[in-house]
Amino acid sequence: MITAMLNRDRINSPSYDQGLLWVVLCLLGIGLVMVYSASIAIAEADKGVGYNSSYYLVHQAIFMVVALSAAFVAFNVPVAWWQKMAPYLFLIGLALLILVLIPGIGLKAGGSRRWLRLFVINPQPSEFMKLFAAMYVADYTVRKAAVMDSFRHGFFPMLMVMLVVGGLLLREPDFGAFAVIAAISISILWLGGINGRIFVGLLILLVVGFVFLIWSSPYRLERVIGFMDPWADPYGKGYQLSHALIAFGRGEWFGVGLGASVEKLLYLPEAHTDFLLAVIAEELGFVGVLGVIALFSWIVIRSFGIAKEAIANERYFAALLSQGIGVWMGVQGIINMGVNMGLLPTKGLTLPLLSFGGSGILANCIAMAIMLRIDFENRRLQKGLPA
């Protein structure tokens, strides 16, 4: 009887990680509230949105409904299908990165050509390429597991592919997306068993490459100079960072109160996108920022926990993909937070699941749904059921 009860409890136990789901929903909820708070002044002053204070709130809510609907569909797709489609999705991503560079098809804004002009929507291909790259590198690593110690047969083909992706992203330019995709790819290759000497050589090559890209680009070099001493030119190169730091300083421990930010009143540029964390810091204080960091930490920790369970079930693609998604959320979150806090040079990267933007929210939610699906299949296998 005791055995029967234990078996019944095991079968009736949750079939997915409810904690992870609630963390994702919490981040989305916090993002919706803070995007509205950070964007009211911007929307009221913008003729292009009809001086409508709730413009960004309504659009973010629509993005979330679409993203959660797509996530529900993605959750119901077996991981084996994602593995089968990984090369084709990656090729689609490459095609979109090429299309975005074509005048008339690619939409240029703020000096960058990162969006596709598709009737009423303007998707950003680089956001989806992060997910497609994670899938492709995970699939490649599993397929080439026997030759991953070989530079010529294991690493070199992937290096060429990533250089093509990097070249397309830098033409937009989107240095931030390139950095995130490079981090995802390198992490998956390392976790998948790439030769240690090749890995160290790659890291050195990347550091040299990043330094060269910064040094050879005047606008990137200006950002680094402004980052090193924003107060030297607070009305020029250091303007955005100096106001972000003022927001952090005003927030202190518990913030000035929800909706009471001063910096969002047209002082801090991109308050509802790249610098949303600065508004969170001002209104919710150190406690609010710490809460956001804790939620992201939970996602990263669980991604590696889910991967460990997948490895135990000999599902190596699922494991590497879960780890890749975790690295994506962690690295992009760290870069965005570092920029907001003045620890990293200013970079056009949003805070996953929080910042305003349809493509980012959609790609993030689909990625989280796939991670939940990996966990769902792990649990089914543990119960002796087919994945």
Side-chain angles (χ1 to χ4, degrees), residues 164-178:
V164 171
V165 174
L168 291 172
L169 288 170
L170 292 175
R171 285 291 304 274
E172 295 184 8
D174 195 345
F175 187 76
F178 172 58

Side-chain angles (χ1 to χ4, degrees), residues 28 33 212 226 260 264 266 283:
L28 289 171
V33 173
F212 172 77
K264 71 182 182 184
L266 306 183
E283 296 191 349

